[in-house]
Short mmCIF file of all heavy atoms in Angstrom, two decimals:
data_model
loop_
_atom_site.label_atom_id
_atom_site.label_comp_id
_atom_site.label_asym_id
_atom_site.label_seq_id
_atom_site.Cartn_x
_atom_site.Cartn_y
_atom_site.Cartn_z
N LEU A 170 123.55 158.35 158.63
CA LEU A 170 124.56 157.36 158.99
C LEU A 170 125.31 156.94 157.73
O LEU A 170 124.86 157.17 156.61
CB LEU A 170 123.91 156.14 159.64
CG LEU A 170 123.25 156.37 161.01
CD1 LEU A 170 122.51 155.12 161.47
CD2 LEU A 170 124.30 156.78 162.05
N ASP A 171 126.46 156.32 157.91
CA ASP A 171 127.29 155.87 156.81
C ASP A 171 126.63 154.66 156.15
O ASP A 171 126.61 153.57 156.71
CB ASP A 171 128.68 155.50 157.34
CG ASP A 171 129.66 155.15 156.24
OD1 ASP A 171 129.23 154.74 155.14
OD2 ASP A 171 130.88 155.28 156.48
N MET A 172 126.09 154.85 154.95
CA MET A 172 125.35 153.78 154.29
C MET A 172 126.26 152.67 153.77
O MET A 172 125.85 151.51 153.70
CB MET A 172 124.51 154.35 153.15
CG MET A 172 123.32 155.19 153.60
SD MET A 172 122.04 154.20 154.46
CE MET A 172 122.50 154.43 156.19
N VAL A 173 127.49 153.00 153.42
CA VAL A 173 128.42 151.95 153.01
C VAL A 173 128.72 151.04 154.19
O VAL A 173 128.68 149.80 154.08
CB VAL A 173 129.72 152.56 152.44
CG1 VAL A 173 130.75 151.47 152.19
CG2 VAL A 173 129.44 153.32 151.15
N ALA A 174 129.00 151.64 155.34
CA ALA A 174 129.27 150.84 156.54
C ALA A 174 128.04 150.02 156.92
O ALA A 174 128.16 148.87 157.36
CB ALA A 174 129.68 151.75 157.69
N PHE A 175 126.86 150.60 156.74
CA PHE A 175 125.63 149.86 157.04
C PHE A 175 125.52 148.61 156.19
O PHE A 175 125.26 147.51 156.68
CB PHE A 175 124.41 150.77 156.81
CG PHE A 175 123.11 150.03 156.65
CD1 PHE A 175 122.61 149.23 157.66
CD2 PHE A 175 122.39 150.13 155.47
CE1 PHE A 175 121.40 148.54 157.50
CE2 PHE A 175 121.19 149.46 155.30
CZ PHE A 175 120.71 148.65 156.31
N LEU A 176 125.73 148.75 154.88
CA LEU A 176 125.63 147.59 153.99
C LEU A 176 126.68 146.54 154.32
O LEU A 176 126.40 145.33 154.27
CB LEU A 176 125.75 148.04 152.53
CG LEU A 176 124.57 148.87 151.99
CD1 LEU A 176 124.88 149.36 150.58
CD2 LEU A 176 123.28 148.08 152.01
N GLU A 177 127.86 146.99 154.65
CA GLU A 177 128.92 146.04 155.00
C GLU A 177 128.61 145.28 156.28
O GLU A 177 128.84 144.07 156.38
CB GLU A 177 130.26 146.78 155.12
CG GLU A 177 130.78 147.32 153.80
CD GLU A 177 132.00 148.21 153.93
OE1 GLU A 177 132.31 148.63 155.07
OE2 GLU A 177 132.63 148.48 152.90
N GLN A 178 128.05 145.98 157.26
CA GLN A 178 127.75 145.35 158.54
C GLN A 178 126.45 144.56 158.54
O GLN A 178 126.26 143.64 159.35
CB GLN A 178 127.71 146.41 159.65
CG GLN A 178 129.06 147.08 159.91
CD GLN A 178 129.00 148.12 161.00
OE1 GLN A 178 128.28 147.97 161.99
NE2 GLN A 178 129.74 149.20 160.82
N ALA A 179 125.56 144.88 157.61
CA ALA A 179 124.26 144.20 157.57
C ALA A 179 124.35 142.79 157.02
O ALA A 179 123.49 141.94 157.30
CB ALA A 179 123.27 145.00 156.73
N ALA A 180 125.39 142.52 156.24
CA ALA A 180 125.54 141.20 155.63
C ALA A 180 125.55 140.12 156.71
O ALA A 180 126.35 140.16 157.64
CB ALA A 180 126.83 141.14 154.80
N GLY A 181 124.63 139.17 156.57
CA GLY A 181 124.54 138.08 157.54
C GLY A 181 123.66 138.39 158.74
O GLY A 181 123.28 137.48 159.47
N LYS A 182 123.34 139.66 158.94
CA LYS A 182 122.52 140.06 160.09
C LYS A 182 121.08 140.38 159.69
O LYS A 182 120.18 140.30 160.53
CB LYS A 182 123.14 141.27 160.78
CG LYS A 182 124.52 141.02 161.36
CD LYS A 182 125.08 142.28 161.99
CE LYS A 182 126.48 142.04 162.55
NZ LYS A 182 127.05 143.29 163.13
N LEU A 183 120.88 140.78 158.43
CA LEU A 183 119.55 141.12 157.92
C LEU A 183 119.31 140.28 156.66
O LEU A 183 119.52 140.76 155.54
CB LEU A 183 119.44 142.61 157.60
CG LEU A 183 119.26 143.57 158.77
CD1 LEU A 183 119.36 145.02 158.28
CD2 LEU A 183 117.94 143.35 159.47
N PRO A 184 118.87 139.04 156.81
CA PRO A 184 118.76 138.15 155.66
C PRO A 184 117.81 138.62 154.57
O PRO A 184 117.96 138.26 153.41
CB PRO A 184 118.30 136.83 156.27
CG PRO A 184 117.73 137.18 157.60
CD PRO A 184 118.51 138.37 158.07
N THR A 185 116.80 139.44 154.91
CA THR A 185 115.86 139.90 153.88
C THR A 185 116.24 141.27 153.31
O THR A 185 115.53 141.78 152.44
CB THR A 185 114.43 139.98 154.43
OG1 THR A 185 114.37 140.91 155.51
CG2 THR A 185 113.94 138.61 154.89
N LEU A 186 117.34 141.85 153.76
CA LEU A 186 117.74 143.16 153.23
C LEU A 186 118.11 143.02 151.76
O LEU A 186 118.99 142.25 151.40
CB LEU A 186 118.92 143.73 154.01
CG LEU A 186 119.39 145.12 153.54
CD1 LEU A 186 118.33 146.18 153.83
CD2 LEU A 186 120.72 145.50 154.20
N ALA A 187 117.41 143.78 150.91
CA ALA A 187 117.67 143.75 149.47
C ALA A 187 118.46 144.97 149.01
O ALA A 187 119.08 144.94 147.95
CB ALA A 187 116.36 143.66 148.70
N GLY A 188 118.41 146.07 149.78
CA GLY A 188 119.13 147.25 149.37
C GLY A 188 118.61 148.51 150.03
O GLY A 188 118.03 148.46 151.12
N ILE A 189 118.81 149.63 149.35
CA ILE A 189 118.47 150.94 149.90
C ILE A 189 117.70 151.75 148.87
O ILE A 189 118.05 151.79 147.69
CB ILE A 189 119.73 151.74 150.29
CG1 ILE A 189 120.53 151.01 151.37
CG2 ILE A 189 119.37 153.14 150.76
CD1 ILE A 189 121.87 151.68 151.69
N LYS A 190 116.62 152.37 149.31
CA LYS A 190 116.00 153.46 148.55
C LYS A 190 116.75 154.71 148.97
O LYS A 190 116.58 155.23 150.07
CB LYS A 190 114.52 153.59 148.86
CG LYS A 190 113.83 154.75 148.12
CD LYS A 190 112.39 154.90 148.58
CE LYS A 190 111.64 155.97 147.79
NZ LYS A 190 112.15 157.34 148.01
N TYR A 191 117.60 155.21 148.09
CA TYR A 191 118.56 156.26 148.44
C TYR A 191 118.05 157.61 147.93
O TYR A 191 118.18 157.93 146.75
CB TYR A 191 119.92 155.92 147.83
CG TYR A 191 121.06 156.76 148.34
CD1 TYR A 191 121.98 156.24 149.25
CD2 TYR A 191 121.23 158.07 147.91
CE1 TYR A 191 123.04 157.00 149.72
CE2 TYR A 191 122.28 158.85 148.38
CZ TYR A 191 123.18 158.31 149.28
OH TYR A 191 124.22 159.07 149.76
#
Side-chain angles (χ1 to χ4, degrees):
L170 294 173
D171 186 335
M172 289 293 95
V173 173
F175 161 61
L176 291 174
E177 292 172 346
Q178 294 180 37
K182 298 178 181 178
L183 283 173
T185 61
L186 181 67
I189 299 174
K190 178 186 185 294
Y191 192 104

